[in-house]
Amino acid sequence: MSPAAGPHAAASGTVDAREIDNFTRIAEEWWDPAGPFAPLHALNPARIGYIRDTICGHAGRDPLADRPLSGLDIIDIGCGGGLVCEPLARLGARMTGLDAGARNIAVAAAHARDAGLDIRYRAEAAEDLVAAGETAAFDAVLTLEIVEHVADPALFLDSAARLLKPGGVLIASTLNRTPASFLGAIIGAEYLLRWVPRGTHDWRKFLKPSELARGLRDAGLRPFQAVGLNRDLATGRWHTGGSLGINYLIAARKPA
């Protein structure tokens, strides 16, 4: 969910101080399933299942194997407290978690140590790794619930693409810019249900699937799938498929 940007905040590259503060102020609550990050805990099983199946399908692996991601180098850009890094590490991936919020990284690293997981966490932005020459380093790049927060989406997507090995896959998830997302993600989640703190999102920065796909193509990637990420109102569980009107995921490959 971070690093991020707001229209009136000071920014450097993709990172914006105001949005970083939005998340680091509550960094100690990342792993509280009933806290401000409860929505991410709720949708995480659906996200992890999609990531596992997509990467395995792309690499010709059995997603139901014991450790189907074994030997793959994966980076989660905007990893927050490590909610995605840890389950993927348990599936065998060599995980790197990247976040511009140092407090987020400290929380993530401490939780991983307590869980006995070897995850490399770094308090940097994606363009910092590119500037350091760490390009084409990862079999898969994840940008989950982050592109709607960054100061410069084009630079962010270009940097993420540069970190990906030829033949690798990038998976992005974000919010669509529709009336439904304004009602659901802003009015509903922030003001009525208070699932997330007010001001977490700026609807104007949400990207339509066509806009995100164009940004990925401009970064040299080839989008090949877009799916909705939706909550079943009867069970409260999240699942992939259905409408792309609020939350969605896009997968793109880098030409070999």
Side-chain angles (χ1 to χ4, degrees):
M1 295 179 65
S2 57
H8 305 298
S12 175
T14 64
V15 179
D16 182 277
R18 183 183 69 85
E19 294 243 24
I20 290 293
D21 184 61
N22 283 344
F23 293 102
T24 56
R25 280 187 295 106
I26 51 176
E28 285 72 20
E29 300 184 72
W30 270 105
W31 286 94
D32 179 0
F37 298 107
L40 293 183
H41 284 269
L43 63 81
N44 220 29
R47 290 197 302 184
I48 296 301
Y50 178 82
I51 292 166
R52 178 201 63 194
D53 292 351
T54 301
I55 292 174
C56 285
H58 186 71
R61 297 185 174 208
D62 178 4
L64 301 181
D66 184 42
R67 289 167 62 84
L69 304 180
S70 181
L72 296 180
D73 291 299
I74 300 177
I75 186 169
D76 181 14
I77 303 175
C79 65
L83 300 188
V84 168
C85 288
E86 291 201 9
L88 294 184
R90 290 190 174 94
L91 292 175
R94 291 191 294 258
M95 288 302 304
T96 296
L98 195 71
D99 199 288
R103 287 179 65 188
N104 292 333
I105 289 297
V107 168
H111 197 276
R113 283 195 303 270
D114 291 344
L117 295 171
D118 183 14
I119 298 173
R120 186 187 187 195
Y121 283 112
R122 303 176 63 171
E124 297 177 84
E127 64 266 28
D128 297 330
L129 271 64
V130 172
E134 300 183 48
T135 54
F138 298 95
D139 299 290
V141 171
L142 310 177
T143 67
L144 309 174
E145 320 304 326
I146 176 178
V147 70
E148 70 271 23
H149 295 291
V150 301
D152 186 337
L155 173 61
F156 176 78
L157 293 175
D158 182 73
S159 300
R162 289 176 182 271
L163 297 177
L164 191 60
K165 293 178 181 178
V169 62
L170 180 146
I171 298 173
S173 64
T174 190
L175 288 148
N176 199 345
R177 193 176 68 257
T178 61
S181 71
F182 183 81
L183 291 173
I186 306 295
I187 302 301
E190 294 190 15
Y191 286 85
L192 298 179
L193 300 173
R194 297 185 180 180
W195 284 345
V196 294
R198 292 183 181 183
T200 298
H201 296 104
D202 180 348
W203 181 82
R204 296 168 297 178
K205 295 176 70 63
F206 293 0
L207 294 177
K208 295 182 177 181
S210 60
E211 295 169 340
L212 180 52
R214 183 169 62 248
L216 291 168
R217 287 193 295 270
D218 289 345
L221 305 183
R222 297 177 181 173
F224 64 88
Q225 186 179 65
V227 300
L229 181 61
N230 292 290
R231 182 172 179 266
D232 188 309
L233 295 179
T235 66
R237 295 178 181 174
W238 289 80
H239 61 89
T240 54
S243 173
L244 279 66
I246 300 181
N247 299 80
Y248 67 95
L249 299 113
I250 283 185
R253 64 173 59 89
K254 187 172 189 176

